[in-house]
Amino acid sequence: MRLKSGNLHPLGLCGLLAAFTVAVLAASPAAAQEYPAKDIRMIVPFSAGSGADAAARQIATRLSEKLGKPIIIDNMPAGNTIVGADTVAKATPDGYTLLFHATQFIVSPALFKTLPYDTIKDFEPVARVTSQSLLLAIPTTLKIDNLKDFVAYAKKNPGLNYASTGLGSSLHLAGAYFDHVAGLKANHIPYKAAAQALADLVRGDVAYMFYPYPPFKPHIDAGKLKILGSSGAEKPAFFPEAQPMTAFGYKDFVLPAWHAVYAPAGTPKAIIDKLDKTLKEIADDPETRAKMSAIGIDLYYASSAELKKLLPQEIEKYARIIEIADVPKQ
Amino acid sequence: MELLSNLALGMEAAVTPANLMYCFLGAVLGTLIGVLPGIGPTATVAMLLPLTFTLDPLASLIMLAGIYYGAQYGGSTTAILINVPGEASAAVTALDGHQMARQGRAGPALAIAAIGSFIAGTLATFLVALMAKPLTAVALEFGPPEYFALVTLGLISSVALAHGSIVKALAAIAIGILFGTVGADLYTGAPRFTFGVIELTNGFDFVAMAIGLFGIAEILRNLEGTQATSLVAKKISGLMPTRADLKASISPIFRGSLIGSAIGILPGGGAALASFLAYSVEKKLSDQPERFGRGAIEGVAGPESANNAGAQTSFIPMLTLGIPTNPIMALMIGVMMIQGIIPGPSVAVEQPTLFWGVIASMWVGNMMLLVLNLPLVGLWARLLLVPYSMMFPAILVFSAVGLYTINSNSFDLYTVSMFGLLGYVLYKLDFEPAPLLLAFVLGPMLEDSLRRSLMLSQGDPSILFTRPISATLLAATLLILAVAVLPFVRKKREVIFEEEA
Amino acid sequence: MSSRVNVKEVTAGLLCIVIGGFFALQSVTTLPIGSARQIGPGYFPFAVGLILIALGILIGLRAVQPAESSDRMQFVSVRTMLAILASPVVFGLSVRPLGLAPAIVITALVATLAGNRANVVQSLLLAAGLTIFCVAVFSYGLGLSLPLFGPLLARFGV
């Protein structure tokens, strides 16, 4: 420890005293051991208990079992996920700070005029872990039971409302893109709380909505909502009745939400490889698959290298959809 | 009879030694964490969430319910003792609760909060068991116009929170609404009054604002001039409520329970309204409304009961529809999903033990709180005897650390100072922080629901008056304005006159 | 003070007018007001801002009536005010770079500067006690992921 000799301010002295006391408590033989030698902090830029948080916790639990060190989830939802992502971008690239992010990560560059970080340059992709199909639901009061009839109905009645959980959210973009490819003229109605959007959909104030499966389930069971399609590339494992939009001729309508793990740029390759390999094992684990499926998420693995290639493509794709959806830059 | 057999099934599951222990553990931890200033129930539940991941689903939900009730009670304790509310409803408890504490009556205030919560909890548990289905249907009927009407009703009645000038109360509401508009606009994404600060995209943090307006402003007030050595001016007089206290509280407790139960089931932050409405009702019904804000025990009993009843009934839409009525219920759904359970009507049918077990454990949890907290009342009350020169740095440190744990965001701490200054200035000018805080919470709901209503109706404002629930609520608002507020204004002005004379 | 206007009330009115004016002005100049069908982001704050201005004028007008309240207002000293308002800010600034433990120590010490009874020994003891308590509760009890000592200190080998 470097200290100026001579006059030591009482404030500094006290800081030191306390520092030493706790340093002794916290000291651990961390230095040059095999990664991971200490707890890993995983920043999740969503609030605790949200869908992304649930996914992160599932993955983190498995990851920590396999790596043998605790992974601590740090929820940092401030500033539309930007603050959390920025914290990782500026963290020491030693493998002990990771980011678990959702589709918002790829949408942000097109949505915000300025970001404090560079989505490509400041991060090292570790692996993509999920694919979450968004289902297209309509209220059964419409008495329509397939997508073709719904599109016909919507064309006859322009000005239908569709709900989302906010401007530029993956739900909004899926809805807006559907509006575009099917040639409808629907109104976007954003909600702060998904619960209210759902209630308005069930009541019929809103005509359609893309959303993950679990919140729909009770209403599907109760016969209040009908699922017409899914934004995933394939039928989701948890609800095989939902046909992908591609099956209805909307060729490039593949917009699942997805989650991936990132590390700060400059993280040693050996660490990235180890994490990547472990995440692949997790993605292949049937028990994890079943657990994730229960919360409406399919495991979907893409390696660090594949994710590196995928990122710019996805960023470009969402930038195009944001333009189509006519979302003003924030 | 089905109700009884269901409850019996639930009881059986909830009172196994292991589950009783989890319930107790949850209540203890919840109280201990919730009592730290700056940490409200949402933060407490979020922080303790990971503890429950390894338990089986029923045990984890039971423990979380315990944490939730414990945290709520802990939060009320902080509000009463040092005037730092951790959530909107506790701001109401602080109004009269803290005044009682300053008069040396922290004991009765805390005790009546615990007793009121228990009675309200018991009533609400039966209500949940009895009415889950029909109440759920009502909750689903609430669309944007209905919310608009409900929030208008809430804001208009909140004028009763003030014990001074009505005009200033209205001004405080307007200021609260304006601060609530800060952040990215939901509909266009346009940043409003953020001046390029990314942290303001989601608006000001509620807890930061509450700590500033109430906690910091209170500390500044206490440090004026010759500083008092401790918070209580008088001697602590009796830890338990007197017979007169109990008598005064019993009706407010029942009225509060009813109001809370009804509003708790509405999704979207309606719960904050419950305490405010209960307080307004008590003040309105009182023979001596001028006692409110100066340590009236009814002002603690009513809102606390409403708050707890609402906490209970907020489980209804969560369990039956998977619709979270507040952030804590959203967390609960998160837990259920992590446990592989999707909340919805099927839960009651497919897993009756879980469903009824959770409901029964609510009652057990409230019981635990009573058992746990009545003996602790003395300890909490004595905490006030700690020299103030040690107390206020402790409050500042706990608030800072607690707030930081919620969002890991330093910006929130700068907001605390800003609102602390504002709170002090407002206090000096006789504005009241409680209506401001309520308006801050409800303002965005008011704007959202108005704009959403007009979007749904394609610009036709008649949507607000033609839907039955919304029309009824708006009519009730008008009625309150016409019948209550007009004579109320006259009466209040007399009170002011008396004060100033 | 025996002025004919009530200074406190006039200040209160002015404060309302300033806050309301600020929001109303910002709304019209930087945000679209929108149409009846699609209310713009500026509409609501503009309207509420105007209402607040009106309320402010009302408060100010009533203040012109001669008021009897002649009691001098008592304020907190500047030093106390600065110390109290600075302590959350100091925590916010120091918690990431220095870590939890040093941040608590500094925050507590800054806070104690506000009291006029504080002495150095008591302040130090209090800071140490609060630090140990918070570290025990938040770091060990709740498993808060915040480092006890931040990167700035780690560089010096703590």
Side-chain angles (χ1 to χ4, degrees):
Chain A
M1 176 165 299
R2 212 169 54 189
L3 277 172
K4 259 197 212 153
S5 55
N7 50 350
L8 186 58
H9 194 269
L11 212 142
L13 179 70
C14 187
L16 277 181
L17 268 176
F20 277 122
T21 335
V22 202
V24 175
L25 287 171
S28 63
Q33 283 174 17
E34 202 189 334
Y35 176 84
K38 55 172 184 179
D39 297 4
I40 298 170
R41 187 159 155 247
M42 187 185 262
I43 290 180
V44 180
F46 300 91
S47 48
S50 61
D53 180 59
R57 286 183 194 273
Q58 281 292 350
I59 299 289
T61 313
R62 303 286 141 179
L63 194 58
S64 137
E65 280 165 15
K66 290 190 184 284
L67 294 175
K69 285 284 170 197
I71 295 182
I72 293 148
I73 300 276
D74 198 348
N75 299 103
M76 295 182 76
N80 261 331
T81 78
I82 294 173
V83 174
D86 190 43
T87 306
V88 177
K90 300 195 170 37
T92 323
D94 55 4
Y96 294 102
T97 310
L98 301 175
L99 176 69
F100 187 94
H101 215 317
T103 329
Q104 202 64 34
F105 189 59
I106 297 110
V107 177
S108 288
L111 198 57
F112 296 96
K113 281 189 200 114
T114 52
L115 285 179
Y117 57 83
D118 187 306
T119 311
I120 302 284
K121 281 190 204 134
D122 288 344
F123 297 91
E124 198 63 53
V126 177
R128 169 174 168 178
V129 285
T130 75
S131 176
Q132 182 177 32
S133 300
L134 304 174
L135 305 187
L136 168 60
I138 60 165
T140 43
T141 47
L142 286 178
K143 305 215 182 315
I144 293 172
D145 62 1
N146 64 65
L147 190 68
K148 211 176 119 231
D149 290 353
F150 178 68
V151 170
Y153 168 81
K155 280 187 173 157
K156 216 180 293 164
N157 300 282
L160 291 182
N161 301 312
Y162 70 96
S164 87
T165 50
L167 214 63
S169 64
S170 51
L171 313 181
H172 171 207
L173 297 178
Y177 196 53
F178 175 65
D179 187 53
H180 172 75
V181 293
L184 315 177
K185 294 220 162 27
N187 295 321
H188 172 229
I189 305 209
Y191 286 78
K192 225 176 255 167
Q196 272 171 306
L198 213 52
D200 287 3
L201 178 70
V202 170
R203 203 180 322 106
D205 281 336
V206 165
Y208 71 94
M209 179 180 184
F210 280 90
Y211 206 54
Y213 173 61
F216 281 153
K217 184 177 183 290
H219 306 286
I220 299 169
D221 293 348
K224 301 265 189 199
L225 291 181
K226 174 88 196 162
I227 302 299
L228 298 183
S230 148
S231 77
E234 294 154 31
K235 292 175 191 169
F238 49 81
F239 194 69
E241 297 99 290
Q243 292 274 347
M245 300 301 278
T246 45
F248 300 100
Y250 302 116
K251 261 202 326 303
D252 55 350
F253 199 116
V254 182
L255 291 174
W258 55 274
H259 306 97
V261 179
Y262 308 85
T267 305
K269 179 139 194 331
I271 291 178
I272 301 281
D273 287 346
K274 179 158 187 182
L275 287 169
D276 185 358
K277 199 178 122 250
T278 320
L279 285 170
K280 182 171 191 313
E281 286 167 23
I282 293 169
D284 291 336
D285 172 36
E287 196 195 326
T288 316
R289 183 164 292 272
K291 282 211 162 176
M292 292 292 270
S293 194
I295 58 174
I297 297 177
D298 286 330
L299 286 173
Y300 182 99
Y301 168 80
S303 71
S304 173
E306 289 163 331
L307 186 54
K308 209 173 233 168
K309 242 184 277 159
L310 183 68
L311 271 184
Q313 294 168 11
E314 286 278 296
I315 290 175
E316 199 206 343
K317 180 167 91 184
Y318 276 102
R320 196 163 50 88
I321 296 174
I322 282 179
E323 208 165 296
I324 289 168
D326 200 18
V327 185
K329 276 221 172 198
Q330 293 174 26
Chain B
M1 277 309 103
E2 196 199 342
L3 167 72
L4 288 183
S5 67
N6 280 336
L7 275 181
L9 175 72
M11 270 300 170
E12 219 171 281
V15 299
T16 64
N19 284 343
L20 269 183
M21 190 197 71
Y22 287 127
C23 190
F24 181 71
L25 205 65
V28 173
L29 285 173
T31 310
L32 290 181
I33 304 302
V35 92
L36 295 169
I39 304 193
T42 314
T44 310
V45 173
M47 263 189 268
L48 296 177
L49 204 59
L51 290 180
T52 67
F53 286 156
T54 49
L55 306 177
D56 72 74
L58 179 61
S60 79
L61 281 176
I62 285 179
M63 185 164 169
L64 271 178
I67 293 172
Y68 179 24
Y69 303 137
Q72 255 189 342
Y73 187 77
S76 307
T77 308
T78 330
I80 290 173
L81 292 180
I82 55 173
N83 202 17
V84 181
E87 56 166 351
S89 55
V92 185
T93 309
L95 287 175
D96 279 275
H98 186 62
Q99 288 309 319
M100 287 182 71
R102 299 193 75 125
Q103 294 157 11
R105 279 166 46 77
L110 289 167
I112 213 71
I115 294 168
S117 296
F118 174 70
I119 297 178
T122 310
L123 288 175
T125 302
F126 277 98
L127 203 69
V128 171
L130 198 64
M131 309 257 292
K133 284 255 161 65
L135 283 180
T136 305
V138 174
L140 270 183
E141 283 309 309
F142 265 71
E146 287 77 17
Y147 275 105
F148 175 76
L150 181 70
V151 173
T152 312
L153 177 68
L155 283 178
I156 292 299
S157 2
S158 83
V159 172
L161 291 174
H163 55 273
S165 149
I166 295 257
V167 183
K168 281 190 176 170
L170 288 172
I173 289 176
I175 295 174
I177 292 179
L178 287 175
F179 279 113
T181 61
V182 174
D185 175 40
L186 182 64
Y187 295 90
T188 60
R192 298 199 287 190
F193 322 113
T194 61
F195 301 100
V197 180
I198 287 180
E199 282 88 348
L200 278 181
T201 315
N202 300 352
F204 289 113
D205 184 77
F206 170 80
V207 179
M209 191 158 173
I211 293 178
L213 281 178
F214 283 79
I216 304 281
E218 174 81 17
I219 291 175
L220 288 171
R221 248 148 78 179
N222 288 333
L223 292 178
E224 281 173 359
T226 46
Q227 294 171 10
T229 39
S230 84
L231 258 187
V232 244
K234 294 177 200 157
K235 262 188 72 145
I236 291 183
S237 57
L239 289 176
M240 285 301 133
T242 60
R243 193 173 290 260
D245 286 338
L246 287 174
K247 209 174 147 221
S249 305
I250 193 74
S251 306
I253 287 175
F254 280 99
R255 281 192 290 266
S257 304
L258 279 181
I259 295 172
S261 301
I263 293 183
I265 57 165
L266 299 175
L273 273 171
S275 320
F276 282 89
L277 279 178
Y279 188 90
S280 310
V281 166
E282 290 315 319
K283 189 168 175 182
K284 194 79 208 76
L285 291 177
S286 171
D287 303 334
Q288 306 150 291
E290 65 280 358
R291 274 177 47 243
F292 281 74
R294 300 197 172 83
I297 199 161
E298 303 95 304
V300 178
E304 271 298 298
S305 310
N307 187 26
N308 207 51
Q312 212 95 311
T313 51
S314 63
F315 275 87
I316 297 179
M318 194 277 280
L319 282 172
T320 56
L321 286 177
I323 288 185
T325 55
N326 56 43
I328 293 171
M329 289 305 120
L331 287 172
M332 293 268 183
I333 291 180
V335 172
M336 290 178 85
M337 281 173 44
I338 285 168
Q339 298 275 9
I341 302 162
I342 298 182
S346 53
V347 174
V349 185
E350 285 162 19
Q351 310 202 31
T353 322
L354 177 86
F355 184 86
W356 294 102
V358 171
I359 288 180
S361 75
M362 294 175 179
W363 185 76
V364 178
N366 276 297
M367 186 72 151
M368 294 269 179
L369 272 185
L370 197 66
V371 173
L372 180 72
N373 281 301
L374 280 184
L376 280 181
V377 162
L379 177 78
W380 296 132
R382 242 165 251 133
L383 213 59
L384 288 178
L385 296 175
V386 171
Y388 198 65
S389 61
M390 292 175 72
M391 186 124 115
F392 79 83
I395 296 175
L396 281 167
V397 166
F398 291 147
S399 306
V401 182
L403 180 59
Y404 191 78
T405 55
I406 304 175
N407 291 330
S408 306
N409 188 358
S410 292
F411 185 79
D412 288 347
L413 289 148
Y414 313 148
T415 346
V416 165
S417 292
M418 192 193 107
F419 282 112
L421 181 63
L422 180 73
Y424 183 66
V425 171
L426 290 177
Y427 163 75
K428 280 285 145 197
L429 300 174
D430 290 342
F431 289 98
E432 296 187 46
L436 195 160
L437 205 62
L438 175 72
F440 174 75
V441 176
L442 295 181
M445 279 177 71
L446 186 72
E447 182 185 7
D448 273 5
S449 50
L450 175 65
R451 286 168 77 180
R452 196 170 294 131
S453 299
L454 292 178
M455 282 168 102
L456 288 177
S457 72
Q458 325 230 325
D460 179 4
S462 72
I463 187 173
L464 301 173
F465 318 109
T466 48
R467 308 204 342 176
I469 298 179
S470 146
T472 315
L473 287 171
L474 283 178
T477 312
L478 276 180
L479 207 70
I480 289 182
L481 264 179
V483 179
V485 175
L486 287 181
F488 183 69
V489 173
R490 252 176 265 136
K491 203 158 142 199
K492 278 290 105 178
R493 300 223 32 184
E494 279 158 30
V495 173
I496 293 166
F497 189 71
E498 277 163 28
E499 265 171 47
E500 288 178 354
Chain C
M1 274 209 334
S2 57
S3 62
R4 255 184 297 149
V5 290
N6 185 334
V7 179
K8 184 162 90 180
E9 294 300 297
V10 171
T11 320
L14 280 178
L15 183 76
C16 290
I17 295 171
V18 168
I19 297 181
F22 170 80
F23 277 94
L25 201 69
Q26 280 285 321
S27 303
V28 278
T29 51
T30 64
L31 296 166
I33 298 293
S35 62
R37 174 169 177 178
Q38 190 112 32
I39 293 177
Y43 180 89
F44 194 74
F46 178 66
V48 178
L50 288 188
I51 293 175
L52 186 56
I53 293 176
L55 290 169
I57 294 173
L58 206 63
I59 294 171
L61 283 181
R62 292 200 321 182
V64 183
Q65 300 162 356
E68 272 128 88
S69 63
S70 56
D71 56 326
R72 279 188 67 92
M73 273 162 69
Q74 190 182 32
F75 291 101
V76 69
S77 74
V78 176
R79 182 184 58 124
T80 303
M81 170 89 92
L82 286 180
I84 296 289
L85 294 183
S87 61
V89 175
V90 163
F91 184 84
L93 289 174
S94 59
V95 64
R96 280 283 158 187
L98 297 181
L100 184 63
I104 294 175
V105 174
I106 302 172
T107 309
L109 289 179
V110 171
T112 52
L113 291 178
N116 53 15
R117 281 168 214 279
N119 64 55
V120 180
V121 179
Q122 198 199 349
S123 300
L124 290 178
L125 281 177
L126 184 64
L130 285 174
T131 309
I132 293 168
F133 182 82
C134 285
V135 167
V137 170
F138 288 98
S139 284
Y140 292 98
L142 293 173
L144 184 64
S145 57
L146 209 58
L148 287 179
F149 297 96
L152 215 63
L153 290 178
R155 213 169 294 160
F156 299 119
V158 174

